[in-house]
Amino acid sequence: MKCFSIDLDGTLLNSEHDISEANLQTINELHEQGHAVILNTGRAYADVIKIEGLQNLEIPIFCVNGSVLFSEKRELLYEATISIEMYKELFPILKGLGVGILVYTNYGGFPSTLPPLHKKSKEELNTLFKEFNYDEILEKDQLKIYKLIALTHHDELEKVEEVKKALEGKFDISMASSFPNNVEITSNEAHKGKALLRYQKMMNLNFEEIIAFGDGGNDLAMFEVATTSVAMANAPLHVQEKADIITKSNDEDGFAHAVRHLLNLHTEAVLK
Protein backbone atom coordinates (compact mmCIF):
# COMPACT_ATOMS: atom_id res chain seq x y z
CA MET A 1 0.00 0.00 0.00
CA LYS A 2 1.28 3.40 -1.01
CA CYS A 3 0.31 6.50 0.97
CA PHE A 4 -0.49 9.71 -0.90
CA SER A 5 -0.41 12.66 1.52
CA ILE A 6 -1.85 15.77 -0.10
CA ASP A 7 -1.87 19.39 0.99
CA LEU A 8 -4.96 21.41 0.01
CA ASP A 9 -4.40 25.14 -0.62
CA GLY A 10 -1.97 25.71 -3.46
CA THR A 11 -1.69 21.96 -4.09
CA LEU A 12 -4.88 19.95 -4.55
CA LEU A 13 -7.04 23.08 -4.78
CA ASN A 14 -6.73 25.60 -7.59
CA SER A 15 -6.49 29.37 -7.15
CA GLU A 16 -10.25 29.54 -6.69
CA HIS A 17 -9.91 27.07 -3.77
CA ASP A 18 -11.82 24.39 -5.68
CA ILE A 19 -10.82 20.83 -6.58
CA SER A 20 -10.77 20.08 -10.31
CA GLU A 21 -12.48 17.09 -11.88
CA ALA A 22 -9.09 15.63 -12.87
CA ASN A 23 -7.74 15.84 -9.32
CA LEU A 24 -10.91 14.40 -7.82
CA GLN A 25 -10.92 11.54 -10.30
CA THR A 26 -7.28 10.79 -9.48
CA ILE A 27 -8.06 10.57 -5.76
CA ASN A 28 -10.95 8.21 -6.45
CA GLU A 29 -8.76 6.01 -8.66
CA LEU A 30 -6.02 5.81 -6.02
CA HIS A 31 -8.62 4.90 -3.40
CA GLU A 32 -10.09 2.19 -5.63
CA GLN A 33 -6.61 0.75 -6.20
CA GLY A 34 -6.25 0.25 -2.45
CA HIS A 35 -3.80 3.06 -1.72
CA ALA A 36 -4.08 5.27 1.37
CA VAL A 37 -5.05 8.79 0.38
CA ILE A 38 -4.83 11.43 3.11
CA LEU A 39 -5.69 15.13 3.06
CA ASN A 40 -2.96 16.80 5.14
CA THR A 41 -3.73 20.48 5.59
CA GLY A 42 -3.24 23.52 7.76
CA ARG A 43 -6.96 24.21 7.49
CA ALA A 44 -9.40 23.61 10.31
CA TYR A 45 -11.79 20.70 9.78
CA ALA A 46 -14.78 23.01 9.22
CA ASP A 47 -12.91 24.76 6.39
CA VAL A 48 -12.09 21.42 4.73
CA ILE A 49 -15.60 20.01 4.66
CA LYS A 50 -16.97 23.26 3.20
CA ILE A 51 -15.28 22.32 -0.08
CA GLU A 52 -18.01 20.70 -2.14
CA GLY A 53 -15.80 18.27 -4.06
CA LEU A 54 -14.33 16.82 -0.85
CA GLN A 55 -17.56 16.26 1.08
CA ASN A 56 -18.26 12.76 -0.22
CA LEU A 57 -14.70 11.43 0.00
CA GLU A 58 -14.19 8.72 2.60
CA ILE A 59 -10.53 9.37 3.32
CA PRO A 60 -8.67 10.51 6.45
CA ILE A 61 -8.31 14.25 7.03
CA PHE A 62 -5.39 15.62 9.02
CA CYS A 63 -6.11 19.22 10.01
CA VAL A 64 -4.27 22.19 11.51
CA ASN A 65 -0.81 20.95 10.46
CA GLY A 66 -1.24 17.53 12.07
CA SER A 67 -2.88 18.81 15.27
CA VAL A 68 -6.20 17.03 14.70
CA LEU A 69 -6.53 13.69 12.91
CA PHE A 70 -9.84 12.35 11.63
CA SER A 71 -10.45 8.87 10.22
CA GLU A 72 -12.16 8.25 6.89
CA LYS A 73 -15.40 7.90 8.91
CA ARG A 74 -14.78 11.35 10.48
CA GLU A 75 -13.96 9.87 13.89
CA LEU A 76 -11.53 11.96 15.94
CA LEU A 77 -8.33 9.94 16.30
CA TYR A 78 -5.87 12.36 17.86
CA GLU A 79 -5.45 15.94 19.11
CA ALA A 80 -2.31 17.94 19.89
CA THR A 81 -2.95 21.21 21.69
CA ILE A 82 -1.15 24.30 22.93
CA SER A 83 -1.67 24.55 26.69
CA ILE A 84 -3.62 27.52 28.03
CA GLU A 85 -0.56 28.49 30.07
CA MET A 86 1.65 28.54 26.98
CA TYR A 87 -0.97 30.49 25.05
CA LYS A 88 -0.99 33.14 27.79
CA GLU A 89 2.76 33.54 27.35
CA LEU A 90 2.75 33.44 23.54
CA PHE A 91 -0.12 35.82 22.93
CA PRO A 92 1.38 39.01 24.41
CA ILE A 93 4.63 38.44 22.51
CA LEU A 94 2.73 38.28 19.21
CA LYS A 95 0.57 41.24 20.21
CA GLY A 96 3.69 43.27 20.96
CA LEU A 97 5.06 42.58 17.47
CA GLY A 98 2.02 44.18 15.86
CA VAL A 99 0.90 41.16 13.84
CA GLY A 100 -2.62 39.91 13.28
CA ILE A 101 -3.42 36.87 15.40
CA LEU A 102 -5.73 33.97 14.53
CA VAL A 103 -6.54 31.42 17.24
CA TYR A 104 -7.73 27.98 16.13
CA THR A 105 -9.73 26.18 18.83
CA ASN A 106 -12.28 23.43 19.37
CA TYR A 107 -14.86 26.23 19.09
CA GLY A 108 -13.58 27.36 15.69
CA GLY A 109 -11.17 30.08 14.65
CA PHE A 110 -11.07 33.54 16.29
CA PRO A 111 -11.61 36.13 14.99
CA SER A 112 -11.61 33.92 11.88
CA THR A 113 -9.81 31.06 10.21
CA LEU A 114 -7.45 31.88 7.36
CA PRO A 115 -9.39 31.00 4.15
CA PRO A 116 -12.10 33.68 4.58
CA LEU A 117 -9.42 36.38 4.97
CA HIS A 118 -7.59 35.88 1.66
CA LYS A 119 -9.57 38.55 -0.21
CA LYS A 120 -9.86 41.14 2.57
CA SER A 121 -8.09 44.48 2.25
CA LYS A 122 -5.35 45.69 4.57
CA GLU A 123 -7.81 48.11 6.19
CA GLU A 124 -10.41 45.37 6.72
CA LEU A 125 -7.83 43.10 8.33
CA ASN A 126 -6.51 45.84 10.60
CA THR A 127 -10.06 46.60 11.78
CA LEU A 128 -10.83 42.91 12.35
CA PHE A 129 -7.79 42.33 14.56
CA LYS A 130 -8.05 45.65 16.38
CA GLU A 131 -11.71 45.30 17.33
CA PHE A 132 -11.79 41.63 18.32
CA ASN A 133 -11.88 40.89 22.05
CA TYR A 134 -9.41 38.03 22.53
CA ASP A 135 -10.23 37.78 26.24
CA GLU A 136 -13.52 36.10 25.30
CA ILE A 137 -11.64 33.06 23.99
CA LEU A 138 -10.29 32.15 27.42
CA GLU A 139 -13.78 32.27 28.92
CA LYS A 140 -14.91 29.26 26.89
CA ASP A 141 -15.59 26.01 28.72
CA GLN A 142 -13.20 23.08 28.08
CA LEU A 143 -11.20 25.22 25.66
CA LYS A 144 -8.65 23.51 23.42
CA ILE A 145 -6.19 25.61 21.43
CA TYR A 146 -4.77 23.91 18.35
CA LYS A 147 -2.91 26.67 16.53
CA LEU A 148 -2.02 30.35 16.46
CA ILE A 149 -1.35 32.12 13.19
CA ALA A 150 0.71 35.32 13.21
CA LEU A 151 -0.40 37.15 10.07
CA THR A 152 1.40 40.07 8.47
CA HIS A 153 0.59 42.25 5.48
CA HIS A 154 2.46 41.49 2.26
CA ASP A 155 4.35 44.79 2.56
CA GLU A 156 5.56 43.88 6.06
CA LEU A 157 7.09 40.45 5.47
CA GLU A 158 10.06 41.28 7.71
CA LYS A 159 7.69 40.66 10.65
CA VAL A 160 7.61 36.94 9.78
CA GLU A 161 11.27 36.59 10.77
CA GLU A 162 10.70 38.81 13.82
CA VAL A 163 8.01 36.41 15.04
CA LYS A 164 10.22 33.37 14.51
CA LYS A 165 13.16 35.00 16.31
CA ALA A 166 10.98 36.11 19.22
CA LEU A 167 9.63 32.58 19.82
CA GLU A 168 12.47 30.28 18.77
CA GLY A 169 13.91 28.19 21.58
CA LYS A 170 11.54 29.62 24.20
CA PHE A 171 8.57 27.31 23.76
CA ASP A 172 7.94 23.65 22.94
CA ILE A 173 6.27 24.48 19.63
CA SER A 174 6.44 23.86 15.89
CA MET A 175 6.55 26.85 13.55
CA ALA A 176 5.92 26.80 9.81
CA SER A 177 4.62 29.15 7.11
CA SER A 178 1.81 28.04 4.83
CA PHE A 179 2.08 31.39 3.03
CA PRO A 180 4.99 33.89 2.89
CA ASN A 181 3.11 36.31 5.16
CA ASN A 182 2.31 34.04 8.10
CA VAL A 183 3.77 31.92 10.88
CA GLU A 184 1.69 28.97 12.03
CA ILE A 185 2.38 28.00 15.64
CA THR A 186 1.33 24.59 16.94
CA SER A 187 2.28 22.09 19.60
CA ASN A 188 5.60 20.41 18.93
CA GLU A 189 3.59 17.19 18.45
CA ALA A 190 1.62 18.81 15.62
CA HIS A 191 3.57 18.26 12.44
CA LYS A 192 2.37 17.03 9.04
CA GLY A 193 5.11 14.41 8.92
CA LYS A 194 4.66 13.16 12.48
CA ALA A 195 0.93 12.87 11.76
CA LEU A 196 1.60 10.40 8.95
CA LEU A 197 3.86 8.25 11.11
CA ARG A 198 1.42 8.46 14.02
CA TYR A 199 -1.52 7.39 11.84
CA GLN A 200 0.44 4.49 10.38
CA LYS A 201 1.21 3.23 13.88
CA MET A 202 -2.30 3.84 15.28
CA MET A 203 -3.97 1.98 12.42
CA ASN A 204 -1.32 -0.77 12.31
CA LEU A 205 -0.52 -0.01 8.67
CA ASN A 206 2.70 -0.41 6.76
CA PHE A 207 3.13 2.11 3.96
CA GLU A 208 5.63 0.79 1.40
CA GLU A 209 5.95 4.37 0.13
CA ILE A 210 4.84 7.80 1.34
CA ILE A 211 4.35 10.26 -1.50
CA ALA A 212 3.79 13.80 -0.27
CA PHE A 213 2.43 16.71 -2.31
CA GLY A 214 2.78 20.32 -1.18
CA ASP A 215 3.53 23.92 -1.98
CA GLY A 216 4.18 25.68 1.34
CA GLY A 217 6.68 25.81 4.17
CA ASN A 218 4.37 23.76 6.39
CA ASP A 219 4.56 20.93 3.82
CA LEU A 220 8.30 20.46 4.38
CA ALA A 221 7.34 18.44 7.47
CA MET A 222 5.67 15.93 5.13
CA PHE A 223 8.67 15.95 2.80
CA GLU A 224 10.90 14.94 5.74
CA VAL A 225 9.15 11.58 6.15
CA ALA A 226 8.21 10.97 2.51
CA THR A 227 9.79 8.41 0.23
CA THR A 228 9.00 10.80 -2.64
CA SER A 229 8.22 14.49 -2.20
CA VAL A 230 6.43 16.44 -4.91
CA ALA A 231 6.37 20.25 -5.01
CA MET A 232 4.00 22.26 -7.14
CA ALA A 233 5.32 24.61 -9.83
CA ASN A 234 3.68 27.45 -7.87
CA ALA A 235 5.63 26.60 -4.70
CA PRO A 236 8.32 29.03 -3.51
CA LEU A 237 11.85 28.15 -4.59
CA HIS A 238 12.93 27.02 -1.11
CA VAL A 239 10.10 24.44 -1.11
CA GLN A 240 10.89 23.25 -4.64
CA GLU A 241 14.54 22.79 -3.67
CA LYS A 242 13.53 20.35 -0.90
CA ALA A 243 11.37 18.22 -3.23
CA ASP A 244 12.36 15.16 -5.25
CA ILE A 245 9.99 16.13 -8.05
CA ILE A 246 8.42 19.34 -9.31
CA THR A 247 5.08 18.97 -11.04
CA LYS A 248 2.77 21.43 -12.80
CA SER A 249 1.00 24.17 -10.87
CA ASN A 250 -2.18 23.81 -8.85
CA ASP A 251 -4.06 25.53 -11.69
CA GLU A 252 -2.81 22.91 -14.17
CA ASP A 253 -3.91 19.78 -12.26
CA GLY A 254 -0.35 19.30 -11.06
CA PHE A 255 -1.40 16.66 -8.52
CA ALA A 256 -3.14 14.48 -11.13
CA HIS A 257 -0.27 15.02 -13.57
CA ALA A 258 2.34 13.88 -11.04
CA VAL A 259 0.35 10.81 -9.97
CA ARG A 260 -0.01 9.65 -13.58
CA HIS A 261 3.76 9.83 -14.03
CA LEU A 262 4.64 8.37 -10.65
CA LEU A 263 2.54 5.26 -11.16
CA ASN A 264 4.05 4.65 -14.60
CA LEU A 265 7.44 6.31 -14.69
CA HIS A 266 10.00 6.58 -11.92
CA THR A 267 12.74 8.21 -13.95
CA GLU A 268 11.62 11.80 -14.52
CA ALA A 269 12.77 14.34 -11.94
CA VAL A 270 10.77 17.25 -13.31
CA LEU A 271 7.25 16.68 -14.58
CA LYS A 272 6.48 20.09 -16.06
Side-chain angles (χ1 to χ4, degrees), residues 41-43 63-68 79-83 86 90 94 102 104 145-150 167 171-177 183-192 194 218 221:
T41 177
R43 284 189 179 219
C63 303
V64 202
N65 294 348
S67 294
V68 191
E79 290 179 303
T81 61
I82 294 171
S83 71
M86 189 186 293
L90 279 166
L94 298 179
L102 300 176
Y104 282 54
I145 298 173
Y146 300 127
K147 177 169 76 169
L148 301 177
I149 298 182
L167 302 182
F171 300 97
D172 190 20
I173 53 173
S174 289
M175 288 188 285
S177 296
V183 182
E184 302 195 345
I185 302 155
T186 56
S187 156
N188 202 33
E189 286 303 309
H191 177 285
K192 286 190 175 189
K194 286 181 182 177
N218 60 343

Side-chain angles (χ1 to χ4, degrees), residues 13 50 54 64 66 75 92 99 107 123 140 145 156 160-161 165 182 200 206 209 213 220 222-223 230 268:
L13 305 181
K50 282 177 186 172
L54 303 179
V64 202
E75 301 158 323
V99 295
Y107 287 90
E123 292 72 26
K140 297 189 177 299
I145 298 173
E156 298 176 342
V160 167
E161 287 308 312
K165 284 178 184 174
N182 76 25
Q200 189 176 210
N206 184 21
E209 290 182 57
F213 298 79
L220 297 177
M222 282 198 289
F223 289 6
V230 183
E268 294 187 40

